[in-house]
Amino acid sequence: MKQKKTMIIMVIILAALLAMYGGMKAWNSHSEKQKKAKEKEETVSLLDVKNLKAFSYESGDSKMSFSKEDGEWIYDADDGVRLNQSTIKSTAKEIAGLTAVRELKDPDEKSDYGLDKPDYTITYTAKDGSEGTIVIGDAAGDNYYAMTKNSDSVYTIAGTVVSDLTFDLSSLTENDTVPSISSGNLKKVEVTQNGETTTYKKKKERSQLAGGWGTISLTQCADYNVKDLAKYGLDEANRITVTATYKDSSSGDKKTCTIYVGSENGDNRYVQLKDSNMVYEVGSTIVKNMMTVDNSDSSSDTESTDNTSSTENAE
């Protein structure tokens, strides 16, 4: 009987604890909702527009301008430049929903905040045709003073807004990539120059060439939308064509990757991926390792004649 009473008491205590936990959880959820509602109520919006179709920002002599066509953002100065759509969309979204850290009460003259001669000017056009301009002046700690055109209100905005106004095209573009190629999946390399093609198939040759193919990185762009290939020695008459045949690690299919090699520029060499409009600079040593081998000790390679290197006329 005593044990039964103890069990009942324990059940009652457990139920009470569960009820208290549920109540605290509900209270915390309610408090969090109230906090978010208050923050939203206190947020000062400089802009509240939807779906920008164009925007630009400038500082001194530097200006970047973008427009939206068929759902894709383009660089107005050269619509052939391949932009990183995620980066541009993020900037457009930040401008469209720009909020202030605070609004200054009874502000002084614009010159006191650097707004008479702003460091940055942002202009935009929304999908509905509405237009606007934001000027950004002096720094205010981690923030900056800002105001919208045709308004006397002065605000401070987060410094991240300014840091996101990128004038370096390399930070806004989407570069090409070379597939993952190593000695384990490289099958052969064909090098065509001056009308002749040399094919490398031997295991030793492939091992050497994989050292170059495995280290190439297309990060240093020399031309984002090339129009004069001869300028880089990449015109058809002068370039070297290097094609790697490899086994794709994901699908297991046999694929090819073709890179055009142009003239040298200091310690680098101009290269272009087939079907791309971008030209890159890659270290000359890496490029050399992608298309040349040292056969001084070829006698040690016992692969079949099917895998020997050969030279033939290019088609």
Side-chain angles (χ1 to χ4, degrees):
M1 186 71 176
K2 187 176 181 181
Q3 287 182 339
K4 188 175 181 181
K5 282 186 176 181
T6 303
M7 182 66 70
I8 292 172
I9 292 172
M10 290 179 65
V11 169
I12 293 173
I13 292 173
L14 179 60
L17 289 173
L18 288 173
M20 288 176 61
Y21 173 76
M24 289 178 64
K25 189 175 181 181
W27 171 256
N28 287 336
S29 177
H30 178 68
S31 299
E32 187 65 26
K33 287 180 180 178
Q34 284 187 321
K35 181 181 177 182
K36 289 182 178 179
K38 185 178 179 181
E39 288 176 350
K40 185 176 181 180
E41 186 179 330
E42 293 176 349
T43 298
V44 180
S45 296
L46 271 74
L47 298 178
D48 188 16
V49 295
K50 303 294 182 183
N51 300 321
L52 296 188
K53 68 176 183 180
F55 70 92
S56 66
Y57 48 85
E58 58 185 301
S59 178
D61 296 329
S62 300
K63 181 177 181 178
M64 304 294 281
S65 179
F66 309 92
S67 302
K68 201 171 189 180
E69 291 186 3
D70 299 324
E72 293 286 312
W73 285 100
I74 63 169
Y75 178 46
D76 292 339
D78 188 347
D79 60 7
V81 172
R82 188 167 70 243
L83 295 174
N84 186 315
Q85 293 296 312
S86 177
T87 301
I88 301 300
K89 285 178 182 177
S90 177
T91 303
K93 183 178 180 180
E94 187 171 27
I95 292 172
L98 186 61
T99 60
V101 175
R102 68 186 181 95
E103 180 180 359
L104 275 62
K105 302 299 182 183
D106 300 319
D108 297 324
E109 296 296 322
K110 293 180 181 179
S111 57
D112 293 326
Y113 309 106
L115 293 169
D116 56 331
K117 297 178 180 178
D119 290 330
Y120 299 90
T121 300
I122 302 172
T123 60
Y124 68 88
T125 302
K127 188 177 180 179
D128 62 7
S130 59
E131 299 178 341
T133 301
I134 308 153
V135 293
I136 302 173
D138 297 339
D142 293 332
N143 304 318
Y144 284 82
Y145 294 111
M147 65 188 307
T148 58
K149 191 176 181 180
N150 302 325
S151 172
D152 294 325
S153 298
V154 177
Y155 307 87
T156 58
I157 60 173
T160 53
V161 176
V162 173
S163 62
D164 288 342
L165 303 181
T166 305
F167 293 93
D168 181 8
L169 198 57
S170 65
S171 301
L172 303 173
T173 55
E174 184 177 354
N175 288 0
D176 298 304
T177 57
V178 177
S180 178
I181 298 176
S182 65
S183 57
N185 67 343
L186 181 61
K187 300 303 178 183
K188 68 176 179 179
V189 173
E190 296 169 292
V191 181
T192 302
Q193 184 176 17
N194 299 325
E196 292 188 342
T197 297
T198 302
T199 302
Y200 298 104
K201 288 185 176 181
K202 290 180 180 180
K203 183 177 180 180
K204 177 185 175 182
E205 294 171 338
R206 286 185 281 118
S207 178
Q208 290 184 48
L209 294 166
W213 282 93
T215 55
I216 185 174
S217 178
L218 303 179
T219 55
Q220 188 174 338
C221 191
D223 197 322
Y224 296 94
N225 185 25
V226 61
K227 295 178 175 63
D228 183 8
L229 290 170
K231 177 181 177 181
Y232 305 101
L234 289 166
D235 53 309
E236 194 170 348
N238 293 295
R239 70 193 182 197
I240 302 172
T241 301
V242 188
T243 300
T245 299
Y246 65 99
K247 185 177 181 180
D248 184 74
S249 56
S250 299
S251 65
D253 297 334
K254 193 173 287 188
K255 297 184 178 181
T256 61
C257 176
T258 297
I259 288 179
Y260 301 127
V261 178
S263 54
E264 291 185 320
N265 182 31
D267 294 331
N268 296 329
R269 197 151 185 179
Y270 295 118
V271 301
Q272 179 188 26
L273 201 64
K274 183 182 178 182
D275 298 326
S276 172
N277 62 339
M278 301 175 75
V279 175
Y280 304 87
E281 288 189 52
V282 176
S284 296
T285 301
I286 294 175
V287 176
K288 180 181 179 182
N289 291 340
M290 293 171 62
M291 61 182 185
T292 61
V293 299
D294 179 10
N295 277 325
S296 59
D297 190 26
S298 59
S299 59
S300 62
D301 197 323
T302 59
E303 284 199 12
S304 68
T305 54
D306 232 7
N307 286 335
T308 57
S309 61
S310 62
T311 302
E312 57 188 22
N313 291 330
E315 293 185 358

